């Protein structure tokens, strides 16, 4: 299960969207260099308000490009970086990955590595960006009634390096039993 990076984005100030970049540098244990959400402890405002000392499990936000195609079919035009993600991928079902999956960017024997920590929990800012978009990225499974979150996955940086569009993404699954992703 391999894919490709289609865009990278970062922003040094708090804003919902993040401008696309030619490349970003991932810093081990911190996140995206120069990004407002980089750090050992939480940086997302809602998490800081709860407990600013908790570990930052949301250092790097990834979204699968296929979501944008799905949303376009529902009348929402969304481009990479506009939902606040740092890395946009194609060809990997990010939402189906287990907790602890590793994503290696670039060369299989080198390059940056992130560990998937959980699902992004979409917030009302998504509707501020585009009215009605929130209900497209979070809802309920019609059969089970379980909440379904589609707005990407969060991760921490295990090995630093640069990442840019066109870089391969290699998935390394953790040992069994796999733990399904939960919101972080």
């Amino acid at each position: 299960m391999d894919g490709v990076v289609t865009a990278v984005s970062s922003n040094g100030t708090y804003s919902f969207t993040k401008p696309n970049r030619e490349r970003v540098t991932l810093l081990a244990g911190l996140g995206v260099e120069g990004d407002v959400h980089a750090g050992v402890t939480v940086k997302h405002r809602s998490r800081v308000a709860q407990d600013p000392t908790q570990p930052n499990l949301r250092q790097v936000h990834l979204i699968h490009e296929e979501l944008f195609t799905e949303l376009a079919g529902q009348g929402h035009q969304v481009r990479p970086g506009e939902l606040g993600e740092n890395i946009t991928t194609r060809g990997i079902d990010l939402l189906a990955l287990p907790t602890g999956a590793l994503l290696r960017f670039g060369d299989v024997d080198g390059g940056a590595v992130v560990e998937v920590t959980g699902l992004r929990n979409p917030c009302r800012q998504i509707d501020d960006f585009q009215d009605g978009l929130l209900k497209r990225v979070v809802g309920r499974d019609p059969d089970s009634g379980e909440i379904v979150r589609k707005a990407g996955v969060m991760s921490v940086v295990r090995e630093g390096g640069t990442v840019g569009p066109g870089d391969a993404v290699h998935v390394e699954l953790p040992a069994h039993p796999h733990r399904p992703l939960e919101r972080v």
Side-chain angles (χ1 to χ4, degrees):
M1 179 181 1
D2 291 340
V4 65
V5 174
T6 59
V8 293
S9 310
S10 67
N11 200 339
T13 60
Y14 281 105
S15 71
F16 184 70
T17 62
K18 295 185 179 192
N20 295 150
R21 309 289 182 191
E22 287 185 28
R23 298 197 71 73
V24 294
T25 300
L26 302 186
L27 303 172
L30 295 174
V32 177
E33 182 177 49
D35 191 79
V36 70
H37 294 112
V40 174
T41 57
V42 293
K43 300 301 176 197
H44 287 78
R45 289 177 174 168
S46 63
R47 302 284 195 273
V48 170
Q50 292 172 358
D51 177 4
T53 67
Q54 60 187 310
N56 187 1
L57 301 178
R58 300 164 58 102
Q59 293 174 357
V60 180
H61 177 198
L62 299 99
I63 286 185
H64 52 294
E65 185 178 70
E66 292 85 351
L67 176 63
F68 302 147
T69 303
E70 178 185 329
L71 294 173
Q74 299 169 346
H76 294 278
Q77 297 302 313
V78 180
R79 292 183 301 277
E82 289 186 334
L83 293 181
E85 77 276 9
N86 300 110
I87 299 175
T88 308
T89 65
R90 182 177 59 240
I92 298 173
D93 187 354
L94 295 173
L95 304 178
L97 293 173
T99 301
L102 299 178
L103 302 177
R104 184 174 300 279
F105 300 96
D107 187 3
V108 174
D109 297 323
V113 177
V114 299
E115 179 181 336
V116 177
T117 56
L119 296 167
R120 175 188 183 188
N121 191 32
C123 65
R124 64 175 178 75
Q125 286 182 309
I126 292 176
D127 268 349
D128 293 341
F129 172 68
Q130 280 187 29
D131 190 42
L133 186 57
L134 180 59
K135 69 181 178 184
R136 302 293 186 194
V137 297
V138 66
R140 293 211 177 265
D141 180 281
D143 297 325
S144 69
E146 297 284 325
I147 294 176
V148 177
R149 293 174 178 85
K150 298 181 184 180
V153 299
M154 306 308 285
S155 65
V156 294
V157 181
R158 292 295 178 218
E159 296 177 29
T162 62
V163 179
D167 286 354
V169 184
H170 306 282
V171 177
E172 298 174 24
L173 297 176
H176 284 280
H178 289 166
R179 292 180 299 132
L181 296 176
E182 297 179 8
R183 72 180 178 98
V184 294

